[in-house]
């Protein structure tokens, strides 16, 4: 009996025995954090901690274990080779690679060389050098995402000619889009903290098979800091503290995060605080962009104040705070539990493009602000690795998110302040599986359920008397639901050819109750219940390790949400959007071809061409309400419009990249984007698409050696003449320059910039830079606010 007990205890001891590998930089000997470790013989995905350590006992006996991280040559070793080396591995810094681990393609870890779609990754190292102020600026740093801003507290990405609710955001695998994501420009991405972001992926093209509604132009996937475990009896403590200042808006930012790791438990706490003053534009550019005066409330009167410095855009200041708390429990190699809490809140911030609207030569508004933008998420992720008939890997994600946003506006010298408040509770559940059938066949499949509860209210407040009355709400009280199942099939035909195919069925429902107190809607409720079927088929052919040719066909969809079907708002002076409960989903069909070539290990050239057709596009069109084509809205007689399935849109273009890295440490890279968007108008004519920006790109010259990184780069954009502006943009005369005929247009622009980072010690670094060296005055296409002028940036970073 004693022998049996001894054998059982011995078995438990060895089954829980951890084999720790340590990975370091070959040249410096420093540990390498976040190295991805995978094997074709196991679906387990492992990353190294801040000490470069990971437990690889799950790979025992494996013939091929792969080690990958951006900036280093990938290594493949057998378990026995690692054992012979004492479980120590050094990685050599590389020039350029065509392989990395990505998750956005299938919601599971996958090698990028096996993905037929274009994916761009922004690493934490890239982000540290660029020092972005917001998550929108982080995306802009990729050189492949165009960012529109209506105000300083903004950032609406444009990808492949699509924007707003035709793009999808995920945070730690959880869908962020809600039922009130609108067709107009949005700024929800600024709720994310770039300092707490570990990795960002941009998936280009329709991703509806995996992500469902809204994933038409692309998917932006943000992975926040993952709590790390220790592999000995010493508690693993790591984190960072960052301070930053920038001159163009007198920015003051502070960040601190700390992680504590034990063998089975780990915690991460993160906090960031930002304070941005009014933004100053550049000195050389169109005079139309200057801000000669602004409105200020003085002794119960709206007074027009002469701006002492017309380059300062008043009012644009705001502040923000971000909090994150994560808890991880890793009882063994089979299970992993992670809970995350995220909270973000801004101050009130002015919608600048509304403040520069004029009526009879004077400002139209006395005030136009967004109230505090709040976002909270509770997220539980459970991962299980099990070699059974159903799956090798299972990931369960259950999340609750709360969103609050509001709009506050008042006409100049009027007493009534209109306050519209929207609150959304978003619940989601995802169940994702991976199953490797054999060496050639693998399945990715899962189910999803989403519920959004929308609560909208209105207050009309008299600022003279302090009294308030119930006012019309922006939205009806509504529930939006989505249920879906998907299957993705991965077929390794040969070592050179991979085929991937997928399908998804999505049922979506909308239930809304309308208040007829303020507007004479001919209905009091609306119900939508429809389905959408999407699919994808792609292939990757690699004739050699230096060549990659990918091709794909895919479809995407966007189901009508509460913003589409039930919103009442003024889109522009003299027009009012009214609800339309008879909408159907719009569908996108995309074809693309990509070619990438690696020359040695120093040069990579890649080009991707795409063509997308959007059918049943939901667009604004003239409408009638109870037979009337115009109604009084906030005291103004306005043309009635609604969102309708009334157009076909096409977008086509190319994305090209050039990346040269010499062994001397010097390098040159360029990302170039050219897109043409066209949209059918009500009369059958064709207009340029609103969300297809002019050509844009980024070119960088850089030097990396030892403790120094220096980058000189240029960001640039083409022009849009008056005739090239979309019809609705031609009406926004306040945000554009004037051509020789007095018509609005968007001039081309460029900036020259320099960034540098110096590593004093392993734990202390300083980064500095100057953006817009030549002090250009420019406004990115469709933006309401003018971009910063010459901007000096200084940041200190301490890690431990």
């Amino acid at each position: 009996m004693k022998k049996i007990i001894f054998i059982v205890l011995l078995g438990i001891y060895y089954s829980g025995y951890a084999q720790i590998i340590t990975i370091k930089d070959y040249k410096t000997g420093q540990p390498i954090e976040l190295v991805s470790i995978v094997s074709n013989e196991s679906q387990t995905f492992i990353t190294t901690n801040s000490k470069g350590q990971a437990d690889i006992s799950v790979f025992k006996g494996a013939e091929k274990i792969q080690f990958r991280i951006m900036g280093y040559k990938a290594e493949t070793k057998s378990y026995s080779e690692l054992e012979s080396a004492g479980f120590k591995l050094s990685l050599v810094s590389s020039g350029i690679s065509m392989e990395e681990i990505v998750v956005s393609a299938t919601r599971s870890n996958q090698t990028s060389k096996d993905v037929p779609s274009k994916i761009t990754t922004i690493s934490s190292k890239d982000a540290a050098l660029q020092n972005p102020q917001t998550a929108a600026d982080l995306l802009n740093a990729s050189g492949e995402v165009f960012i529109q801003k209506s105000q300083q507290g903004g950032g609406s990405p444009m990808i492949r000619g699509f924007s707003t609710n035709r793009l999808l955001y995920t945070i730690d695998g959880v869908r962020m889009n809600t039922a009130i994501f609108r067709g107009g420009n949005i700024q929800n991405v600024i709720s994310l903290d770039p300092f707490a972001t570990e990795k960002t992926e941009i998936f280009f093209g329709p991703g509806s098979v995996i992500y469902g509604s809204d994933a038409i132009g692309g998917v932006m996937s943000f992975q926040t800091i993952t709590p790390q475990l220790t592999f000995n009896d010493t508690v693993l403590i790591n984190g960072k503290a960052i301070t930053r200042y920038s001159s163009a808006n007198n920015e003051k930012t502070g960040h601190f995060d700390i992680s504590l790791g034990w063998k089975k438990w780990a915690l991460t706490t993160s906090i960031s605080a930002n304070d941005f003053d009014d933004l100053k534009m550049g000195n050389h550019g169109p005079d139309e962009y200057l801000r000669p005066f602004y409105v200020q409330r003085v002794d119960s009167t709206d007074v027009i104040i002469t701006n002492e410095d017309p380059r300062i855009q008043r009012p644009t200041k705001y502040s923000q705070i971000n909090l994150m708390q994560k808890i991880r429990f890793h009882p063994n190699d089979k299970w992993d539990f992670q809970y995350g809490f995220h909270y973000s809140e801004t101050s009130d911030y002015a919608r600048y493009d509304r403040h520069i609207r004029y009526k009879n030569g004077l400002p139209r508004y006395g005030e136009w602000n967004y109230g505090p933008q709040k976002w909270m998420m509770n997220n539980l992720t459970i991962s299980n690795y099990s070699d059974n008939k159903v799956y090798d890997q299972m990931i369960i994600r259950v999340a609750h998110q709360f969103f609050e946003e509001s709009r506050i506006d008042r006409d100049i010298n009027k007493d009534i302040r209109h306050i519209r408040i929207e609150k959304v509770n978003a619940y989601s559940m995802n169940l994702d599986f991976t199953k490797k059938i054999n060496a050639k066949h693998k399945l990715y499949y899962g189910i999803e359920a989403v519920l959004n509860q929308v609560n909208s209210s209105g207050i009309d407040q008299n600022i003279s008397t302090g009294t308030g009355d119930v006012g019309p709400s922006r939205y009806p009280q509504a529930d939006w639901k989505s249920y879906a199942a998907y299957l993705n099939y991965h077929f390794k035909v040969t070592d050179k050819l991979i085929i991937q195919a997928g399908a998804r069925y999505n049922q979506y429902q909308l239930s809304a109750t309308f208040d007829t107190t303020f507007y004479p809607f001919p209905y009091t409720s609306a119900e939508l219940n429809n389905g959408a079927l999407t699919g994808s088929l792609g292939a990757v052919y690699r004739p050699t390790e230096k060549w990659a040719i990918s091709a794909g066909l895919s479809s995407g969809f966007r189901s009508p949400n509460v913003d589409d079907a039930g919103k009442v708002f003024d889109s522009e002076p003299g027009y009012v959007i009214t609800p339309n409960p008879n909408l159907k989903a719009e569908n996108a069909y995309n074809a693309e071809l990509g070619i990438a070539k690696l020359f040695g290990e120093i040069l990579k050239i890649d080009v991707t061409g795409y063509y997308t057709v959007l059918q049943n596009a939901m667009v604004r069109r003239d409408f009638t309400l109870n037979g009337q084509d115009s109604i009084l809205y906030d005291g103004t007689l306005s043309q009635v419009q609604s969102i309708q399935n009334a157009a076909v849109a096409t977008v086509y273009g190319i994305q090209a990249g050039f990346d040269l890295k010499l062994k001397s440490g010097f390098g040159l890279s360029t990302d170039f984007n050219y897109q043409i968007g066209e949209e059918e108008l009500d009369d059958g004519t064709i207009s340029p698409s609103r969300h297809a920006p002019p050509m844009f790109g980024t070119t960088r010259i850089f030097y990396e050696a030892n403790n120094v990184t220096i980058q000189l780069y240029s960001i640039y954009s083409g022009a849009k003449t008056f005739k090239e502006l979309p019809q609705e943009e031609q009406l926004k005369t306040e945000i554009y320059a004037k051509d020789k005929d007095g018509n609005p247009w968007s001039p081309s622009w460029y900036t020259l910039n320099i960034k540098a980072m110096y590593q004093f010690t392993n734990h202390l670094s300083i980064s500095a830079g100057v953006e817009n060296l030549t002090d250009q005055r420019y406004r990115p296409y469709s933006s309401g606010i003018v971009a910063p002028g010459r901007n000096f940036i200084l940041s200190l970073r301490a890690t431990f």
Side-chain angles (χ1 to χ4, degrees):
M1 183 65 180
K2 291 181 179 179
K3 288 184 178 180
I4 295 174
I5 294 174
F6 174 76
I7 291 172
V8 171
L9 293 175
L10 191 65
I12 293 173
Y13 171 79
Y14 279 108
S15 66
Y17 179 70
Q19 183 54 66
I20 310 306
I21 189 170
T22 301
I23 304 176
K24 295 183 177 181
D25 183 287
Y26 177 80
K27 187 175 181 180
T28 66
Q30 294 300 312
I32 306 176
E33 185 180 3
L34 299 177
V35 177
S36 300
I37 308 174
V38 296
S39 172
N40 291 333
E41 299 169 44
S42 172
Q43 293 304 307
T44 304
F45 173 79
I46 297 170
T47 58
T48 55
N49 63 17
S50 60
K51 293 186 176 181
Q53 296 179 331
D55 178 5
I56 61 168
S57 55
V58 70
F59 298 135
K60 187 173 183 179
E63 291 298 320
K64 290 184 178 181
I65 304 173
Q66 299 169 343
F67 302 84
R68 291 191 180 93
I69 186 171
M70 288 181 67
Y72 290 87
K73 291 182 181 179
E75 288 282 354
T76 301
K77 301 285 185 180
S78 68
Y79 188 89
S80 59
E81 287 177 317
L82 295 171
E83 189 174 29
S84 299
F87 293 101
K88 295 180 179 179
L89 180 67
S90 295
L91 297 183
V92 178
S93 178
S94 71
I96 300 169
S97 173
M98 296 178 69
E99 297 181 29
E100 59 182 304
I101 300 296
V102 295
V103 299
S104 55
T106 58
R107 296 175 66 91
S108 182
N109 297 296
Q110 193 175 12
T111 306
S112 59
K113 70 175 185 177
D114 297 338
V115 179
S117 301
K118 177 178 173 60
I119 298 176
T120 291
T121 298
I122 306 172
S123 68
S124 55
K125 181 181 178 181
D126 297 331
L129 176 63
Q130 291 302 321
N131 247 325
Q133 287 191 345
T134 68
D137 298 326
L138 175 66
L139 292 168
N140 190 56
S142 70
E144 296 176 289
V145 178
F146 190 91
I147 298 295
Q148 180 277 350
K149 292 186 178 183
S150 297
Q151 63 281 326
Q152 186 170 202
S156 189
M158 297 183 184
I159 298 177
R160 287 192 175 183
F162 294 100
S163 186
T164 61
N165 54 16
R166 290 176 181 144
L167 300 175
L168 189 81
Y169 305 85
T170 70
I171 298 87
D172 293 340
V174 177
R175 172 192 182 93
M176 189 185 197
N177 294 41
T178 72
I180 63 170
F181 266 40
R182 55 191 179 275
N185 297 305
I186 60 176
Q187 58 269 1
N188 298 76
V189 71
I190 70 168
S191 292
L192 309 180
D193 185 358
F195 292 114
T197 300
E198 200 167 69
K199 183 180 179 182
T200 303
E201 293 180 18
I202 306 164
F203 177 98
F204 295 91
S208 287
V209 167
I210 303 298
Y211 295 98
S213 179
D214 303 1
I216 289 179
V219 177
M220 291 155 285
S221 175
F222 298 85
Q223 175 62 51
T224 60
I225 299 171
T226 301
Q228 299 177 352
L229 304 167
T230 190
F231 301 107
N232 51 45
D233 294 330
T234 303
V235 177
L236 178 65
I237 303 175
N238 66 323
K240 61 182 179 288
I242 300 171
T243 61
R244 186 181 61 208
Y245 171 81
S246 62
S247 63
N249 56 0
N250 196 28
E251 175 211 5
K252 296 173 285 292
T253 288
H255 168 82
F256 179 78
D257 67 70
I258 184 171
S259 296
L260 304 177
W262 295 268
K263 290 183 178 180
K264 294 179 183 287
W265 290 88
L267 307 172
T268 295
T269 301
S270 172
I271 181 170
S272 295
N274 314 87
D275 184 78
F276 306 106
D277 208 338
D278 292 323
L279 183 64
K280 187 174 184 177
M281 67 182 77
N283 194 44
H284 308 292
D287 289 341
E288 295 92 340
Y289 295 168
L290 293 172
R291 179 70 161 150
F293 48 78
Y294 59 96
V295 177
Q296 185 171 310
R297 191 76 174 170
V298 179
D299 295 330
S300 303
T301 303
D302 291 325
V303 179
I304 298 176
I305 305 293
T306 299
N307 197 354
E308 294 180 357
D309 186 348
R311 293 168 55 198
I312 296 179
Q313 301 171 83
R314 294 186 170 97
T316 53
K317 64 176 64 177
Y318 82 103
S319 60
Q320 181 171 334
I321 188 168
N322 283 79
L323 305 171
M324 185 185 78
Q325 178 65 56
K326 282 192 170 184
I327 302 172
R328 181 181 181 186
F329 177 51
H330 186 75
N332 52 50
D333 292 332
K334 300 293 185 182
W335 291 93
D336 191 81
F337 301 80
Q338 292 190 42
Y339 165 76
F341 170 80
H342 303 258
Y343 183 79
S344 173
E345 182 174 348
T346 70
S347 63
D348 286 7
Y349 52 98
R351 180 165 175 179
Y352 185 73
D353 64 340
R354 290 294 193 260
H355 281 267
I356 58 175
R357 278 189 177 176
Y358 302 105
K359 188 175 183 180
N360 300 324
L362 297 175
R364 177 180 176 181
Y365 295 102
E367 57 182 305
W368 211 118
N369 298 323
Y370 285 110
Q373 178 173 291
K374 301 177 184 179
W375 171 64
M376 180 184 70
M377 181 170 78
N378 290 278
N379 173 32
L380 176 64
T381 301
I382 303 172
S383 302
N384 175 237
Y385 300 92
S386 178
D387 185 13
N388 58 51
K389 294 182 179 180
V390 179
Y391 64 87
D392 298 319
Q393 181 189 40
M394 174 186 68
I395 301 177
I396 302 172
R397 295 181 178 92
V398 181
H400 166 255
Q401 298 178 79
F402 172 77
F403 300 80
E404 181 178 327
E405 59 185 55
S406 54
R407 292 159 179 80
I408 305 162
D409 69 88
R410 181 179 56 82
D411 286 349
I412 192 167
N413 288 320
K414 301 293 184 182
D415 290 337
I416 302 302
R417 173 187 290 146
H418 308 289
I419 304 172
R420 305 294 179 258
I421 303 170
E422 283 73 56
K423 299 178 181 180
V424 179
N425 280 287
Y427 305 88
S428 62
M429 186 280 291
N430 291 87
L431 192 56
D432 299 299
F433 300 94
T434 302
K435 178 61 183 176
K436 183 178 180 181
I437 300 173
N438 53 43
K440 289 183 174 290
H441 306 277
K442 183 184 286 188
L443 295 177
Y444 303 89
Y445 62 99
I447 58 175
E448 178 186 70
V450 179
L451 167 64
N452 284 190
Q453 296 175 326
V454 178
N455 180 277
S456 184
S457 60
I459 301 171
D460 290 338
Q461 183 183 70
N462 189 309
I463 62 172
S464 294
T465 64
T467 60
D469 297 316
V470 175
S473 62
R474 180 179 172 89
Y475 296 114
Q477 312 309 307
D479 288 349
W480 183 88
K481 302 174 184 177
S482 172
Y483 307 99
Y486 75 90
L487 173 67
N488 212 38
Y489 169 57
H490 182 89
F491 178 30
K492 186 177 181 180
V493 183
T494 67
D495 288 338
K496 297 182 177 181
L497 178 63
I498 292 172
I499 295 176
Q500 193 163 285
R504 177 190 184 102
Y505 180 77
N506 216 115
Q507 191 73 16
Y508 57 88
Q509 300 172 351
L510 172 63
S511 176
T513 302
F514 294 90
D515 184 354
T516 59
T517 303
F518 300 95
Y519 302 112
F521 301 131
Y523 39 76
T524 57
S525 63
E527 300 284 339
L528 291 178
N529 189 355
N530 288 304
L533 179 65
T534 55
S536 64
L537 175 63
V540 180
Y541 177 59
R542 300 173 66 92
T544 70
E545 287 299 313
K546 305 293 185 180
W547 276 96
I549 303 171
S550 60
L553 300 172
S554 57
S555 63
F557 79 100
R558 187 173 75 84
S559 63
N561 63 20
V562 177
D563 184 87
D564 299 311
K567 175 173 61 180
V568 178
F569 87 114
D570 63 324
S571 59
E572 55 209 26
Y575 292 87
V576 60
I577 305 297
T578 59
N580 178 11
N582 299 311
L583 290 171
K584 296 181 179 179
E586 54 186 17
N587 300 283
Y589 303 92
N590 177 73
E592 62 184 272
L593 175 66
I595 301 174
K597 169 64 174 172
L598 193 62
F599 298 87
E601 293 182 353
I602 64 170
L603 176 61
K604 176 185 175 183
I605 297 176
D606 65 272
V607 179
T608 301
Y610 59 90
Y611 188 94
T612 306
V613 177
L614 184 66
Q615 296 184 341
N616 291 323
M618 288 182 268
V619 294
R620 294 206 304 257
R621 290 289 185 263
D622 289 344
F623 196 58
T624 60
L625 189 62
N626 292 328
Q628 296 181 322
D629 62 6
S630 299
I631 62 171
L632 279 175
Y633 180 78
D634 284 345
T636 301
L637 186 64
S638 302
Q639 168 71 51
V640 175
Q641 294 185 326
S642 70
I643 304 297
Q644 302 175 38
N645 295 108
V648 174
T650 58
V651 180
Y652 53 93
I654 61 169
Q655 295 174 284
F658 176 95
D659 199 355
L660 173 67
K661 291 184 179 179
L662 302 176
K663 292 183 178 180
S664 61
F666 286 95
L668 171 69
S669 69
T670 291
D671 290 297
F672 177 79
N673 308 268
Y674 178 80
Q675 51 281 314
I676 296 292
E678 298 175 335
E679 181 181 299
E680 180 185 12
L681 297 179
D682 202 20
D683 60 3
T685 60
I686 301 299
S687 169
S689 174
R690 176 186 177 189
H691 292 136
M695 77 85 180
F696 69 96
T698 302
T699 297
R700 315 168 187 87
I701 300 173
F702 53 88
Y703 174 74
E704 296 182 30
N706 298 323
N707 299 326
V708 178
T709 302
I710 302 173
Q711 189 176 106
L712 175 68
Y713 64 100
S714 176
I715 303 175
Y716 42 87
S717 173
K720 273 189 180 285
T721 65
F722 175 71
K723 290 183 179 179
E724 292 172 331
L725 285 177
Q727 190 179 69
E728 58 189 297
E729 292 295 303
Q730 292 177 356
L731 300 175
K732 301 175 184 177
T733 56
E734 69 274 8
I735 68 172
Y736 289 105
K738 292 182 180 179
D739 63 18
K740 61 181 181 179
D741 298 319
N743 293 318
W745 76 301
S746 180
S748 62
W749 55 267
Y750 74 94
T751 63
L752 294 177
N753 318 269
I754 187 168
K755 298 280 179 69
M757 184 164 60
Y758 181 75
Q759 193 82 31
F760 287 106
T761 69
N762 294 334
H763 302 289
L764 181 64
S765 64
I766 183 172
S767 61
V770 184
E771 297 176 337
N772 196 358
L773 279 161
T774 57
D775 208 19
Q776 298 297 303
R777 183 188 305 150
Y778 69 98
R779 177 180 265 140
Y781 164 72
S782 193
S783 291
I785 194 168
V786 182
R790 187 180 294 118
N791 187 26
F792 296 91
I793 301 170
L794 181 65
S795 177
L796 292 173
R797 173 186 291 252
T799 60
F800 55 90

